[in-house]
Amino acid sequence: MKALILVGGFGTRLRPLTLSFPKPLVDFANKPMILHQIEALKDVGVTEVVLAINYRPEVMINFLKDFEDKLGITITCSQETEPLGTAGPLALARDKLLDGSGEPFFVLNSDVISEYPFAELIKFHKSHGGEATIMVTKVDEPSKYGVVVMEDTTGVVERFVEKPKVFVGNKINAGIYLLNPSVLDRIELKPTSIEKEVFPRIAADQKLYAMVLPGFWMDIGQPRDYITGLRLYLDSLRKRSADRLATGTHIVGNVLVHESAKIGEGCLIGPDVAIGPGCVVEDGVRLSRCTVMRGARIKKHACISNSIVGWHSTVGKWARIENMTILGEDVHVGDEVYSNGGVVLPHKEIKSSILKPEIVM
């Protein structure tokens, strides 16, 4: 089987992290976002993954070459010279996706994190005999999204309603699809939306089905959702493989610590924290609801909550970092500095406090 991952553009919502790496390579729970998807695809027998990309393909390919060998899976790029929306990239990658087998292929949005129940999706798709299956997830506030109106017993999609003013349902497109090759005949090589143009046409022919995604779902394309996504992911990890989570008197709730990270005495870490490879957390540090990425150092008695500390950054002694502060790569925060929602671009030194949310150039 094959899969196409819609990588897309510049990842502006996750800046300053995406100034250093393309968004799919930004760490989430201690490994690049896209690797969570590729590993799950490999587990259900996908042998080739095509990345639909229009931004820095050479960085992606060089980075993922290592994982090709480790996972035994082929990873190639299909590069857009102009943005083609969410359906155009399928037409562009047509020759890579068609292999004559007639097997369906996966399409994924690269920002989506979930338990990826691909085996159940394949089983459902093959059972209904339709042309395409989309995964849907239930949300509390459907008026913010495009709602999928479906027949609950069969899964047949009846129609789509964009940001409904009155309640029509609470299921939204989860950005995970399984499509028959015939879907490619419905897509022209031009900027096209799969959600607004292609799927409604398939639904009109009564060949579009939806499956409700079990477990959690999050689009982690912006910082607040990234932090929420980490909480949901760690909750899920607790249920699936709790042995991968850290334990000890200094740990509160769900915490993921890379084996190469070092943690000092008298720390209190958690809940919902990921500490990446090669990180050093000195004595007396307090961490909650945050990610500390590869090679970062948190000095004595610093306190970090609801924030993201980028690669190889340093947080000084007795510093306090909170309220969706994001430190880009190689940022150095001085001792006793306070950051309230500062967004700091890479390679900066912060010597004075950031008292209200702002971007530090």
Side-chain angles (χ1 to χ4, degrees):
M1 283 182 86
K2 296 190 177 187
L4 179 87
I5 301 179
L6 295 164
V7 173
F10 301 104
T12 49
R13 295 179 304 162
L14 261 191
R15 281 180 183 162
L17 301 171
T18 48
L19 295 172
S20 299
F21 291 94
K23 183 169 55 177
L25 301 186
V26 170
D27 294 339
F28 177 81
N30 294 352
K31 62 183 165 193
M33 284 184 195
I34 201 165
L35 207 54
H36 293 273
Q37 296 185 334
I38 292 173
E39 286 174 352
L41 289 165
K42 167 81 166 58
D43 288 344
V44 292
V46 169
T47 53
E48 185 175 344
V49 174
V50 181
L51 307 178
I53 190 166
N54 60 20
Y55 171 61
R56 297 170 77 185
E58 66 292 336
V59 181
M60 292 283 290
I61 285 298
N62 292 342
F63 187 89
L64 291 166
K65 275 281 170 266
D66 296 346
F67 294 106
E68 267 197 324
D69 301 334
K70 282 181 198 158
L71 296 170
I73 192 167
T74 305
I75 302 171
T76 59
C77 269
S78 171
Q79 189 183 0
E80 306 164 37
T81 50
E82 59 166 340
L84 289 171
T86 48
L90 277 72
L92 186 66
R94 181 187 175 101
D95 292 345
K96 292 179 186 281
L97 294 170
L98 292 177
D99 56 7
S101 68
E103 281 281 294
F105 58 90
F106 288 97
V107 177
L108 276 65
N109 286 347
S110 67
D111 295 356
V112 167
I113 198 89
S114 77
E115 288 172 9
Y116 306 122
F118 294 148
E120 294 94 317
L121 179 57
I122 293 169
K123 190 174 170 187
F124 175 66
H125 181 78
K126 292 190 169 170
S127 73
H128 63 59
E131 201 172 347
T133 306
I134 65 176
M135 294 211 99
V136 294
T137 185
K138 293 177 180 174
V139 291
D140 294 334
E141 291 184 55
S143 60
K144 297 195 313 198
Y145 303 93
V147 171
V148 181
V149 181
M150 59 186 275
E151 162 48 55
D152 284 340
T153 48
T154 60
V156 172
V157 174
E158 295 167 3
R159 61 198 165 101
F160 297 85
V161 183
E162 194 60 37
K163 297 184 178 171
K165 296 282 186 287
V166 295
F167 185 84
V168 291
N170 64 344
K171 300 179 191 78
I172 66 164
N173 180 343
I176 298 170
Y177 319 128
L178 191 56
L179 312 178
N180 285 354
S182 59
V183 172
L184 293 172
D185 297 333
R186 296 175 177 266
I187 303 170
E188 292 179 54
L189 183 52
K190 62 177 188 183
T192 317
S193 164
I194 199 165
E195 302 87 354
K196 292 178 181 164
E197 298 174 65
V198 180
F199 287 155
R201 288 202 295 269
I202 304 174
D205 294 342
Q206 297 191 318
K207 290 183 175 176
L208 183 65
Y209 288 74
M211 174 182 159
V212 178
L213 180 81
F216 79 100
W217 175 88
M218 200 72 209
D219 176 330
I220 54 172
Q222 51 193 358
R224 200 167 293 280
D225 296 337
Y226 176 106
I227 295 290
T228 303
L230 182 64
R231 172 176 62 78
L232 297 171
Y233 174 84
L234 294 176
D235 275 348
S236 163
L237 200 57
R238 166 78 62 197
K239 296 183 189 109
R240 288 178 295 135
S241 41
D243 55 326
R244 287 175 52 198
L245 294 170
T247 53
T249 53
H250 62 299
I251 299 291
V252 183
N254 298 330
V255 175
L256 190 64
V257 179
H258 192 271
E259 59 201 18
S260 62
K262 293 184 171 60
I263 295 177
E265 299 292 315
C267 293
L268 188 58
I269 296 174
D272 309 322
V273 172
I275 299 173
C279 289
V280 177
V281 177
E282 296 184 3
D283 298 351
V285 165
R286 175 73 178 105
L287 302 176
S288 64
R289 295 180 298 282
C290 65
T291 286
V292 181
M293 292 185 181
R294 183 180 64 248
R297 177 179 284 267
I298 313 300
K299 294 188 176 177
K300 290 179 182 176
H301 306 292
C303 178
I304 302 175
S305 66
N306 284 303
S307 295
I308 300 173
V309 177
W311 309 271
H312 306 289
S313 289
T314 309
V315 175
K317 295 174 189 171
W318 295 101
R320 187 178 183 94
I321 306 288
E322 62 187 26
N323 190 23
M324 296 314 303
T325 291
I326 308 173
L327 306 182
E329 181 185 17
D330 182 41
V331 167
H332 301 284
V333 176
D335 294 349
E336 300 179 28
V337 165
Y338 171 62
S339 172
N340 172 23
V343 173
V344 186
L345 272 61
H347 316 297
K348 297 280 177 238
E349 191 169 355
I350 303 297
K351 294 177 177 173
S352 56
S353 291
I354 301 168
L355 301 177
K356 62 181 194 302
E358 62 176 293
I359 296 170
V360 178
M361 311 285 277

